[in-house]
């Protein structure tokens, strides 16, 4: 099968599974657009990129952390910076959810970006747009694709720990569950496989994949879709008990480079998380995309960039709704 025929076949399967769904603005909602700050804060993107670059130079893990913040923000109530709110009398922070506790990080970098933006353009650039720009810049700085970021999001007045617990795909979710969670956000099967390619950088904790090493299905046996030699390397630092917070590269071959190695790992059963490897073992449609991206990094980069824009357009707050927080950790005081 030629590459073009493969793309067409996968697209047909995806279309049959999920009719195209795009995050167009709701009634009364303004369209996001790249030039939103051209006059009100023309230096905004330069400020974000500069601080992200400094943070990445100081901590190579930070790029993946900032990219993850945008993902975890958009999947809960839309891309509205709700993930950044600390707990208060009126807010139960999403940082305390099962998916974010002890793992979400990069908040201090966002604070630094926001402080610089407030000094240059007070009450102008939203925290939600900071997350979208930082995700793009983090991808580029680690060797991945760039894209034009539509802007004009506003910040939420609240958070949803319930949404954070329930709506974000989890490491042990089945493929049908992950597909459903993406579909609920208006994201299709191509978006799913492309966006999980962000696991080409970053780390995961032992507690997120331990069951694959020892007791995947409750029968006391390791996950048969995990390469036995890889499992043997992982076990010393991820024992049956203890070591929950020990970190492991999601892509052990090129852990700090944004490339298509993640998909090559899946082909040889070296995906770290169950939710990673299931892309290759769980359905023919996702497996075809895994093989396509493993064979052609340019197509992966193209699809990833397109899917990031699409994800970034999930239910944004615009117009006079929400607010522009002066401190991303708390709502403004009236």
């Amino acid at each position: 099968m030629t590459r073009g025929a493969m793309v067409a076949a996968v697209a047909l399967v995806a279309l049959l599974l999920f009719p195209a769904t795009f995050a167009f603005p709701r009634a009364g909602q303004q369209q996001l657009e790249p030039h939103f700050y051209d006059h009100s804060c023309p230096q905004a993107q330069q400020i974000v990129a500069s601080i992200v670059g400094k943070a990445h130079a100081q901590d190579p893990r930070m790029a993946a952390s900032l990219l993850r913040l945008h993902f975890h923000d958009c999947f809960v109530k839309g891309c509205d910076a709700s993930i950044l709110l600390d707990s208060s009398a009126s807010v139960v922070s999403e940082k305390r959810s099962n998916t974010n506790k002890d793992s979400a990080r990069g908040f201090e970098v966002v604070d630094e970006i926001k402080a610089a933006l407030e000094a240059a353009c007070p009450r102008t650039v939203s925290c939600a747009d900071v997350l979208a720009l930082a995700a793009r810049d983090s991808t580029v700085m680690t060797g991945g694709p760039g894209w034009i970021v539509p802007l004009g999001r506003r910040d939420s007045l609240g958070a949803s720990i319930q949404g954070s617990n329930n709506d974000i795909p989890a490491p042990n979710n089945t493929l049908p569950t992950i597909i459903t969670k993406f579909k609920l956000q208006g994201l299709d099967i191509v978006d799913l496989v492309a966006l999980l390619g962000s696991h080409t950088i970053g780390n995961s904790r032992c507690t997120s994949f331990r069951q694959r090493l020892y007791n995947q299905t409750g029968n006391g046996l390791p996950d048969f879709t995990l390469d036995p030699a890889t499992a043997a390397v992982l076990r010393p630092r991820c024992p049956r008990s203890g070591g929950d917070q020990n970190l492991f590269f999601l892509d052990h071959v090129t852990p700090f480079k944004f490339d298509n190695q993640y998909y090559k790992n899946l082909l040889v059963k070296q995906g770290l998380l169950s939710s990673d490897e299931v892309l290759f073992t769980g359905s023919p449609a996702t497996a075809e995309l895994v093989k396509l991206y493993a064979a052609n990094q340019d197509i992966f980069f193209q699809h990833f960039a397109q899917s990031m824009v699409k994800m970034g357009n999930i239910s944004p707050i615009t117009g006079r709704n929400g607010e522009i927080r002066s401190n991303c950790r708390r709502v403004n005081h009236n």
Side-chain angles (χ1 to χ4, degrees):
M1 178 184 291
T2 66
R3 185 167 290 130
M6 182 182 296
V7 174
V10 169
L12 178 59
V13 172
L15 182 61
L16 291 172
L17 286 172
F18 308 105
T21 308
F22 297 94
F24 290 117
R26 295 168 294 190
Q29 185 183 77
Q30 296 178 1
Q31 177 73 55
L32 302 179
E33 58 99 2
H35 303 288
F36 189 82
Y37 298 113
D38 281 5
H39 299 294
S40 60
C41 194
Q43 64 272 55
Q45 297 202 41
Q46 181 182 352
I47 289 171
V48 175
S50 174
I51 295 174
V52 170
K54 183 181 72 170
H56 173 61
Q58 294 172 345
D59 177 4
R61 291 179 55 204
M62 190 53 66
S65 298
L66 292 172
L67 184 55
R68 185 171 184 257
L69 280 183
H70 184 45
F71 186 103
H72 282 210
D73 180 43
C74 291
F75 264 66
V76 182
K77 298 167 76 260
C79 307
D80 60 2
S82 61
I83 192 174
L84 301 178
L85 289 172
D86 288 339
S87 290
S88 67
S90 60
V91 172
V92 179
S93 177
E94 293 170 18
K95 298 174 185 179
R96 298 166 57 180
S97 72
N98 295 330
T99 52
N100 293 325
K101 185 180 179 182
D102 299 325
S103 63
R105 60 193 297 272
F107 300 109
E108 293 79 9
V109 177
V110 175
D111 291 340
E112 184 178 351
I113 294 170
K114 183 59 174 172
L117 289 170
E118 286 298 300
C121 319
R123 295 285 179 95
T124 301
V125 181
S126 70
C127 301
D129 279 345
V130 167
L131 289 180
L133 290 168
R136 188 271 310 275
D137 295 342
S138 295
T139 302
V140 172
M141 288 173 188
T142 49
W147 59 90
I148 296 172
V149 180
L151 299 165
R153 302 167 189 82
R154 289 170 66 85
D155 299 324
S156 72
L157 301 176
S160 174
I161 190 170
Q162 180 180 8
S164 187
N165 278 324
N166 296 332
D167 297 342
I168 298 173
N172 298 325
N173 281 162
T174 64
L175 183 58
T177 296
I178 298 169
I179 289 172
T180 296
K181 288 183 176 182
F182 271 74
K183 187 178 180 182
L184 289 172
Q185 304 294 346
L187 300 174
D188 61 29
I189 198 168
V190 177
D191 300 316
L192 187 164
V193 181
L195 289 172
L196 285 186
S198 61
H199 286 179
T200 181
I201 56 175
N203 298 264
S204 186
R205 298 173 297 155
C206 164
T207 187
S208 296
F209 63 87
R210 173 184 283 119
Q211 84 292 338
R212 300 192 72 202
L213 302 179
Y214 304 103
N215 191 25
Q216 175 67 3
T217 60
N219 60 2
L221 298 175
D223 187 348
F224 72 91
T225 69
L226 177 62
D227 169 54
T230 299
V233 171
L234 296 172
R235 286 191 186 99
R237 291 187 56 243
C238 189
R240 289 180 182 271
S241 63
D244 286 5
Q245 306 303 319
N246 289 347
L247 294 175
F248 296 79
F249 293 130
L250 287 162
D251 167 12
H252 68 95
V253 181
T254 56
F256 298 109
K257 182 179 180 182
F258 197 104
D259 56 19
N260 67 336
Q261 184 63 47
Y262 166 82
Y263 299 103
K264 296 177 182 179
N265 295 342
L266 300 186
L267 296 180
V268 292
K269 297 185 177 181
Q270 292 182 2
L272 184 63
L273 304 179
S274 175
S275 55
D276 292 328
E277 194 60 48
V278 76
L279 296 181
F280 184 59
T281 62
S283 88
T286 56
E288 287 302 310
L289 284 163
V290 168
K291 289 186 281 188
L292 174 64
Y293 296 157
N296 191 318
Q297 181 168 278
D298 290 340
I299 292 180
F300 163 49
F301 278 12
Q302 177 186 346
H303 287 186
F304 182 82
Q306 291 170 345
S307 294
M308 284 297 291
V309 171
K310 190 173 173 183
M311 184 186 77
N313 206 26
I314 296 173
S315 302
I317 300 172
T318 60
R320 295 182 180 274
N321 299 313
E323 65 179 12
I324 304 298
R325 293 185 210 139
S326 57
N327 182 329
C328 293
R329 292 176 180 266
R330 63 180 68 96
V331 298
N332 298 333
H333 297 292
N334 294 326

